[in-house]
Amino acid sequence: MKNIRNRHLVRSRISTMPRNKSDASSQLDLYKLVTEKQRINRELSGIKERMTVLQKRLDILNQEIETTERTINKLRQPNHKSTDKLIRSSIFEEGNNYHAFEIEY
């Protein structure tokens, strides 16, 4: 009974020699290559879509930056009198926005 080995302990053999090429192994290699190519193509198309979305957003942001800079430059001009009106009107509008209410316990 000393010669009985543990049946659950099966070790695989490691071979340094490459396996012989067969039709099945070539088909498997082809399958691996094709699936990797499909995965990479899907990933590239997703990246391209993301790039177009990001580029559109950048264009919108650039336009908004330009209009905001133009507005700031107009407001900084010394002959521009609408700044006083904006400041005064905002003060009065803020005062009218408050609503009072009572809570009874």
Side-chain angles (χ1 to χ4, degrees), residues 21-82:
K21 283 288 186 181
S22 68
D23 186 44
S25 65
S26 297
Q27 290 289 334
L28 179 62
D29 290 340
L30 179 65
Y31 172 76
K32 288 178 183 178
L33 293 171
V34 168
T35 54
E36 185 179 6
K37 180 182 175 184
Q38 290 173 347
R39 181 189 59 82
I40 290 173
N41 281 330
R42 280 194 309 266
E43 193 172 337
L44 277 175
S45 66
I47 290 172
K48 287 177 185 176
E49 289 176 10
R50 184 73 177 139
M51 280 182 55
T52 56
V53 168
L54 291 174
Q55 188 60 48
K56 287 179 184 178
R57 182 64 182 148
L58 273 176
D59 293 340
I60 291 170
L61 288 174
N62 286 332
Q63 290 173 355
E64 289 180 4
I65 288 171
E66 288 176 8
T67 56
T68 306
E69 286 177 344
R70 278 191 236 123
T71 305
I72 289 171
N73 287 334
K74 285 181 184 177
L75 292 174
R76 286 183 180 171
Q77 292 176 358
N79 295 336
H80 202 271
K81 295 183 180 180
S82 67

Coordinates of all heavy atoms in Angstrom, one line a residue, residues 21-82:
K21 N 2.7 20.9 -36.1 CA 1.6 21.7 -36.7 C 0.6 20.7 -37.4 O 1.0 19.8 -38.1 CB 2.1 22.6 -37.8 CG 2.8 23.8 -37.3 CD 1.7 24.7 -36.7 CE 2.3 26.1 -36.3 NZ 1.4 27.0 -35.7
S22 N -0.7 20.9 -37.1 CA -1.7 20.1 -37.7 C -2.8 21.0 -38.2 O -2.7 22.3 -37.9 CB -2.3 19.1 -36.7 OG -3.0 19.8 -35.6
D23 N -3.7 20.5 -38.9 CA -4.8 21.3 -39.4 C -5.6 21.9 -38.3 O -6.0 23.1 -38.3 CB -5.7 20.5 -40.3 CG -6.8 21.3 -41.0 OD1 -6.4 22.4 -41.5 OD2 -8.0 20.8 -41.0
A24 N -5.8 21.2 -37.2 CA -6.6 21.7 -36.1 C -5.9 22.8 -35.4 O -6.5 23.9 -35.0 CB -6.9 20.6 -35.1
S25 N -4.6 22.7 -35.2 CA -3.8 23.8 -34.5 C -3.7 25.0 -35.4 O -3.8 26.1 -34.9 CB -2.4 23.3 -34.1 OG -1.7 23.0 -35.3
S26 N -3.6 24.8 -36.7 CA -3.6 26.0 -37.6 C -5.0 26.7 -37.6 O -5.1 27.9 -37.6 CB -3.3 25.5 -39.0 OG -2.0 25.0 -39.1
Q27 N -6.1 25.9 -37.5 CA -7.4 26.5 -37.5 C -7.6 27.3 -36.1 O -8.2 28.4 -36.1 CB -8.5 25.4 -37.6 CG -8.6 24.8 -38.9 CD -9.2 25.7 -39.9 OE1 -10.0 26.6 -39.6 NE2 -8.9 25.5 -41.2
L28 N -7.0 26.7 -35.1 CA -7.1 27.4 -33.8 C -6.3 28.7 -33.8 O -6.8 29.8 -33.3 CB -6.6 26.5 -32.7 CG -6.6 27.1 -31.3 CD1 -8.0 27.5 -30.8 CD2 -5.9 26.2 -30.3
D29 N -5.1 28.7 -34.4 CA -4.3 29.9 -34.5 C -5.1 31.0 -35.4 O -5.1 32.2 -35.0 CB -3.0 29.6 -35.1 CG -2.1 28.8 -34.2 OD1 -2.3 28.9 -33.0 OD2 -1.1 28.2 -34.7
L30 N -5.7 30.5 -36.5 CA -6.5 31.4 -37.3 C -7.6 32.0 -36.6 O -7.9 33.3 -36.6 CB -6.9 30.7 -38.6 CG -7.8 31.5 -39.5 CD1 -6.9 32.6 -40.1 CD2 -8.3 30.6 -40.6
Y31 N -8.3 31.2 -35.8 CA -9.5 31.7 -35.0 C -9.0 32.8 -34.0 O -9.6 33.8 -33.8 CB -10.1 30.5 -34.3 CG -11.2 31.0 -33.3 CD1 -12.4 31.4 -33.7 CD2 -10.9 31.0 -31.9 CE1 -13.4 31.8 -32.8 CE2 -11.9 31.4 -31.0 CZ -13.1 31.8 -31.5 OH -14.1 32.2 -30.6
K32 N -7.9 32.5 -33.3 CA -7.4 33.5 -32.3 C -7.0 34.8 -33.0 O -7.3 35.9 -32.5 CB -6.1 32.9 -31.6 CG -6.4 31.8 -30.7 CD -5.1 31.3 -30.1 CE -5.3 30.1 -29.2 NZ -4.0 29.6 -28.6
L33 N -6.4 34.7 -34.2 CA -6.0 35.9 -34.9 C -7.2 36.7 -35.3 O -7.2 38.0 -35.2 CB -5.1 35.6 -36.1 CG -3.7 35.0 -35.7 CD1 -3.0 34.5 -37.0 CD2 -2.8 36.0 -35.0
V34 N -8.2 36.0 -35.9 CA -9.4 36.7 -36.4 C -10.1 37.4 -35.2 O -10.6 38.5 -35.3 CB -10.3 35.7 -37.2 CG1 -11.6 36.3 -37.4 CG2 -9.6 35.4 -38.5
T35 N -10.3 36.7 -34.1 CA -11.0 37.3 -33.0 C -10.3 38.5 -32.4 O -10.9 39.4 -32.0 CB -11.3 36.2 -31.9 OG1 -10.0 35.6 -31.5 CG2 -12.3 35.2 -32.4
E36 N -9.0 38.4 -32.3 CA -8.2 39.5 -31.9 C -8.3 40.7 -32.8 O -8.5 41.9 -32.4 CB -6.7 39.2 -31.7 CG -5.9 40.3 -31.1 CD -4.4 40.0 -30.9 OE1 -4.0 38.9 -31.3 OE2 -3.7 40.8 -30.3
K37 N -8.3 40.5 -34.1 CA -8.5 41.5 -35.1 C -9.9 42.2 -34.9 O -10.0 43.4 -35.0 CB -8.4 41.0 -36.5 CG -8.5 42.0 -37.6 CD -8.4 41.3 -39.0 CE -8.7 42.4 -40.0 NZ -8.7 41.8 -41.4
Q38 N -10.9 41.4 -34.7 CA -12.2 41.9 -34.5 C -12.3 42.8 -33.3 O -12.9 43.9 -33.3 CB -13.3 40.8 -34.5 CG -13.5 40.1 -35.8 CD -14.4 38.9 -35.7 OE1 -14.6 38.4 -34.6 NE2 -14.8 38.4 -36.8
R39 N -11.7 42.3 -32.2 CA -11.7 43.1 -31.0 C -11.0 44.4 -31.1 O -11.5 45.4 -30.7 CB -11.0 42.2 -29.9 CG -11.0 42.9 -28.5 CD -10.1 42.2 -27.5 NE -8.8 42.0 -27.9 CZ -7.8 43.0 -27.8 NH1 -8.1 44.1 -27.3 NH2 -6.6 42.8 -28.2
I40 N -9.9 44.4 -31.8 CA -9.1 45.6 -32.0 C -9.9 46.6 -32.9 O -9.9 47.8 -32.6 CB -7.7 45.3 -32.6 CG1 -6.9 44.6 -31.5 CG2 -7.0 46.6 -33.1 CD1 -5.5 44.1 -32.0
N41 N -10.6 46.1 -33.9 CA -11.4 46.9 -34.8 C -12.5 47.6 -34.0 O -12.9 48.7 -34.2 CB -11.9 46.2 -36.0 CG -10.8 46.0 -37.1 OD1 -10.0 46.9 -37.2 ND2 -10.9 44.9 -37.8
R42 N -13.2 46.8 -33.1 CA -14.3 47.3 -32.3 C -13.7 48.4 -31.4 O -14.4 49.5 -31.2 CB -14.9 46.2 -31.5 CG -15.9 45.4 -32.3 CD -16.8 44.5 -31.3 NE -16.0 43.8 -30.4 CZ -15.6 42.5 -30.5 NH1 -15.9 41.9 -31.7 NH2 -14.9 41.9 -29.6
E43 N -12.6 48.2 -30.8 CA -12.0 49.1 -29.9 C -11.6 50.4 -30.6 O -11.9 51.5 -30.1 CB -10.8 48.5 -29.2 CG -10.3 49.3 -28.0 CD -9.2 48.5 -27.3 OE1 -9.1 47.3 -27.4 OE2 -8.4 49.2 -26.6
L44 N -11.1 50.3 -31.8 CA -10.7 51.5 -32.6 C -11.9 52.3 -33.0 O -11.9 53.5 -33.0 CB -9.9 51.0 -33.9 CG -8.5 50.8 -33.7 CD1 -7.9 50.3 -35.0 CD2 -7.7 52.1 -33.3
S45 N -13.0 51.6 -33.4 CA -14.2 52.3 -33.8 C -14.8 53.0 -32.6 O -15.3 54.2 -32.7 CB -15.3 51.4 -34.4 OG -15.7 50.5 -33.5
G46 N -14.7 52.4 -31.4 CA -15.2 53.1 -30.2 C -14.4 54.3 -29.9 O -14.9 55.4 -29.4
I47 N -13.1 54.2 -30.1 CA -12.2 55.3 -29.8 C -12.5 56.5 -30.8 O -12.5 57.7 -30.4 CB -10.7 54.9 -29.9 CG1 -10.4 54.0 -28.7 CG2 -9.8 56.1 -29.9 CD1 -9.0 53.4 -28.7
K48 N -12.7 56.1 -32.1 CA -13.0 57.1 -33.1 C -14.3 57.9 -32.7 O -14.4 59.1 -32.8 CB -13.1 56.5 -34.4 CG -11.8 56.1 -35.0 CD -11.9 55.4 -36.4 CE -10.6 54.9 -36.9 NZ -10.7 54.2 -38.1
E49 N -15.3 57.1 -32.3 CA -16.6 57.7 -31.9 C -16.4 58.7 -30.7 O -16.9 59.8 -30.7 CB -17.6 56.7 -31.5 CG -18.2 55.9 -32.7 CD -19.1 54.8 -32.3 OE1 -19.5 54.8 -31.1 OE2 -19.4 54.0 -33.2
R50 N -15.6 58.2 -29.8 CA -15.4 59.1 -28.6 C -14.6 60.3 -29.0 O -14.8 61.4 -28.4 CB -14.6 58.2 -27.6 CG -14.3 58.9 -26.3 CD -15.5 59.1 -25.4 NE -15.2 59.7 -24.2 CZ -15.9 60.6 -23.6 NH1 -17.1 60.9 -24.1 NH2 -15.6 61.1 -22.5
M51 N -13.7 60.2 -29.9 CA -12.9 61.4 -30.4 C -13.8 62.4 -31.0 O -13.6 63.6 -30.8 CB -11.8 60.9 -31.3 CG -10.6 60.4 -30.6 SD -9.2 60.0 -31.8 CE -9.0 61.5 -32.7
T52 N -14.8 61.9 -31.9 CA -15.7 62.9 -32.5 C -16.5 63.6 -31.5 O -16.8 64.8 -31.6 CB -16.5 62.2 -33.6 OG1 -17.3 61.1 -33.0 CG2 -15.7 61.7 -34.7
V53 N -17.0 62.9 -30.5 CA -17.8 63.5 -29.4 C -17.0 64.5 -28.7 O -17.5 65.6 -28.4 CB -18.4 62.4 -28.5 CG1 -19.0 63.0 -27.2 CG2 -19.4 61.5 -29.2
L54 N -15.8 64.2 -28.3 CA -14.9 65.1 -27.6 C -14.6 66.3 -28.4 O -14.5 67.4 -27.9 CB -13.7 64.4 -27.1 CG -13.8 63.3 -26.0 CD1 -12.5 62.6 -25.7 CD2 -14.3 64.0 -24.7
Q55 N -14.3 66.1 -29.7 CA -14.0 67.2 -30.6 C -15.2 68.2 -30.7 O -15.0 69.4 -30.7 CB -13.6 66.7 -32.0 CG -13.0 67.8 -32.9 CD -11.8 68.4 -32.3 OE1 -10.9 67.8 -31.9 NE2 -11.7 69.8 -32.3
K56 N -16.4 67.7 -30.8 CA -17.6 68.5 -30.9 C -17.7 69.3 -29.6 O -18.0 70.5 -29.7 CB -18.8 67.7 -31.1 CG -19.0 67.2 -32.5 CD -20.2 66.3 -32.7 CE -20.3 65.7 -34.0 NZ -21.5 64.8 -34.2
R57 N -17.4 68.7 -28.5 CA -17.5 69.4 -27.2 C -16.5 70.5 -27.1 O -16.7 71.6 -26.6 CB -17.4 68.4 -26.0 CG -17.5 69.0 -24.7 CD -18.9 69.6 -24.5 NE -18.9 70.3 -23.2 CZ -19.6 71.3 -22.9 NH1 -20.4 71.9 -23.8 NH2 -19.6 71.9 -21.7
L58 N -15.3 70.2 -27.6 CA -14.2 71.2 -27.6 C -14.6 72.4 -28.5 O -14.3 73.5 -28.1 CB -12.9 70.6 -28.1 CG -12.0 69.9 -27.1 CD1 -10.8 69.3 -27.7 CD2 -11.6 70.9 -26.0
D59 N -15.2 72.1 -29.6 CA -15.6 73.2 -30.5 C -16.6 74.1 -29.8 O -16.6 75.3 -29.9 CB -16.2 72.7 -31.8 CG -15.1 72.0 -32.6 OD1 -13.9 72.2 -32.4 OD2 -15.5 71.1 -33.5
I60 N -17.6 73.5 -29.1 CA -18.6 74.3 -28.4 C -18.0 75.1 -27.3 O -18.3 76.3 -27.1 CB -19.7 73.3 -27.9 CG1 -20.5 72.7 -29.0 CG2 -20.6 74.0 -26.9 CD1 -21.4 71.6 -28.6
L61 N -17.1 74.5 -26.6 CA -16.4 75.2 -25.5 C -15.6 76.4 -26.0 O -15.6 77.5 -25.4 CB -15.5 74.3 -24.7 CG -16.2 73.3 -23.8 CD1 -15.2 72.3 -23.2 CD2 -17.0 74.0 -22.7
N62 N -14.9 76.2 -27.2 CA -14.1 77.3 -27.8 C -15.0 78.4 -28.2 O -14.7 79.6 -28.0 CB -13.3 76.8 -28.9 CG -12.1 76.0 -28.5 OD1 -11.6 76.2 -27.4 ND2 -11.7 75.0 -29.4
Q63 N -16.2 78.1 -28.7 CA -17.1 79.2 -29.1 C -17.6 79.9 -27.9 O -17.7 81.2 -27.9 CB -18.3 78.6 -29.9 CG -18.0 78.1 -31.2 CD -19.1 77.4 -31.9 OE1 -20.2 77.2 -31.3 NE2 -18.9 77.0 -33.2
E64 N -18.0 79.2 -26.8 CA -18.4 79.8 -25.6 C -17.4 80.7 -25.0 O -17.6 81.8 -24.4 CB -18.9 78.8 -24.6 CG -20.2 78.1 -25.0 CD -20.7 77.1 -24.0 OE1 -20.0 76.9 -23.0 OE2 -21.7 76.4 -24.3
I65 N -16.1 80.2 -25.0 CA -15.0 81.0 -24.5 C -14.9 82.3 -25.3 O -14.7 83.4 -24.7 CB -13.7 80.2 -24.5 CG1 -13.7 79.1 -23.4 CG2 -12.5 81.1 -24.3 CD1 -12.6 78.1 -23.5
E66 N -14.9 82.2 -26.6 CA -14.8 83.4 -27.4 C -15.9 84.4 -27.1 O -15.7 85.6 -27.0 CB -14.8 83.1 -28.9 CG -13.5 82.4 -29.3 CD -13.6 81.9 -30.8 OE1 -14.6 82.3 -31.5 OE2 -12.7 81.2 -31.2
T67 N -17.2 84.0 -27.0 CA -18.3 84.9 -26.7 C -18.2 85.5 -25.3 O -18.4 86.7 -25.1 CB -19.6 84.2 -26.9 OG1 -19.7 83.0 -26.0 CG2 -19.9 83.8 -28.3
T68 N -17.7 84.7 -24.4 CA -17.6 85.2 -23.0 C -16.4 86.3 -23.0 O -16.6 87.3 -22.3 CB -17.3 84.1 -22.0 OG1 -18.3 83.1 -22.2 CG2 -17.2 84.6 -20.6
E69 N -15.4 86.0 -23.7 CA -14.3 87.0 -23.7 C -14.7 88.3 -24.4 O -14.4 89.4 -23.9 CB -13.1 86.4 -24.4 CG -12.3 85.4 -23.6 CD -11.1 84.8 -24.4 OE1 -11.1 84.9 -25.6 OE2 -10.3 84.1 -23.7
R70 N -15.5 88.2 -25.4 CA -16.0 89.4 -26.1 C -16.9 90.2 -25.1 O -16.9 91.4 -25.1 CB -16.8 89.0 -27.4 CG -15.9 88.8 -28.5 CD -16.7 88.7 -29.8 NE -16.3 87.4 -30.4 CZ -17.1 86.5 -30.8 NH1 -18.4 86.6 -30.6 NH2 -16.7 85.4 -31.3
T71 N -17.8 89.5 -24.4 CA -18.7 90.1 -23.4 C -17.9 90.8 -22.4 O -18.2 91.9 -22.0 CB -19.6 89.1 -22.8 OG1 -20.3 88.4 -23.9 CG2 -20.6 89.7 -21.9
I72 N -16.8 90.2 -21.9 CA -16.0 90.8 -20.8 C -15.3 92.0 -21.4 O -15.3 93.0 -20.7 CB -15.0 89.7 -20.3 CG1 -15.6 88.7 -19.5 CG2 -13.9 90.4 -19.5 CD1 -14.7 87.5 -19.1
N73 N -14.8 91.9 -22.6 CA -14.1 93.1 -23.2 C -15.1 94.3 -23.4 O -14.8 95.4 -23.2 CB -13.5 92.8 -24.5 CG -12.2 91.9 -24.3 OD1 -11.6 92.0 -23.2 ND2 -11.9 91.1 -25.3
K74 N -16.4 94.0 -23.7 CA -17.4 95.0 -23.9 C -17.7 95.7 -22.5 O -17.9 96.9 -22.4 CB -18.6 94.5 -24.5 CG -18.5 94.2 -26.0 CD -19.9 93.7 -26.5 CE -19.8 93.3 -28.0 NZ -21.0 92.7 -28.5
L75 N -17.8 94.8 -21.5 CA -18.1 95.4 -20.2 C -17.0 96.2 -19.6 O -17.2 97.0 -18.7 CB -18.5 94.2 -19.3 CG -19.8 93.5 -19.6 CD1 -20.0 92.3 -18.7 CD2 -21.0 94.4 -19.5
R76 N -15.8 95.9 -20.0 CA -14.6 96.6 -19.5 C -14.4 98.0 -20.1 O -13.6 98.8 -19.6 CB -13.3 95.8 -19.6 CG -13.3 94.6 -18.7 CD -12.0 93.9 -18.9 NE -11.9 92.8 -17.9 CZ -11.0 91.9 -17.9 NH1 -10.0 91.9 -18.9 NH2 -11.0 90.9 -17.1
Q77 N -15.1 98.3 -21.2 CA -14.9 99.6 -21.8 C -15.5 100.7 -20.9 O -16.5 100.5 -20.3 CB -15.6 99.6 -23.2 CG -15.0 98.7 -24.2 CD -15.8 98.6 -25.5 OE1 -16.8 99.2 -25.6 NE2 -15.3 97.9 -26.4
P78 N -14.8 101.8 -20.8 CA -15.2 102.9 -19.9 C -16.5 103.5 -20.3 O -17.2 104.1 -19.5 CB -14.1 103.9 -19.9 CG -13.3 103.6 -21.2 CD -13.6 102.2 -21.5
N79 N -16.9 103.5 -21.6 CA -18.1 104.2 -22.0 C -19.4 103.3 -21.9 O -20.5 103.7 -22.2 CB -18.0 104.6 -23.5 CG -16.9 105.6 -23.7 OD1 -16.6 106.4 -22.8 ND2 -16.4 105.7 -24.9
H80 N -19.2 102.1 -21.4 CA -20.3 101.2 -21.3 C -21.0 101.5 -20.0 O -20.5 101.3 -18.9 CB -19.7 99.8 -21.2 CG -20.7 98.8 -21.6 ND1 -21.6 98.2 -20.7 CD2 -21.1 98.3 -22.9 CE1 -22.4 97.3 -21.4 NE2 -22.1 97.4 -22.7
K81 N -22.3 102.0 -20.1 CA -23.1 102.4 -18.9 C -24.1 101.3 -18.4 O -24.7 101.5 -17.4 CB -23.9 103.6 -19.3 CG -23.0 104.8 -19.6 CD -23.8 106.0 -19.8 CE -22.9 107.2 -20.1 NZ -23.6 108.4 -20.4
S82 N -24.1 100.2 -19.2 CA -25.1 99.2 -18.7 C -24.6 98.4 -17.5 O -25.4 97.7 -16.9 CB -25.4 98.2 -19.9 OG -24.2 97.5 -20.2

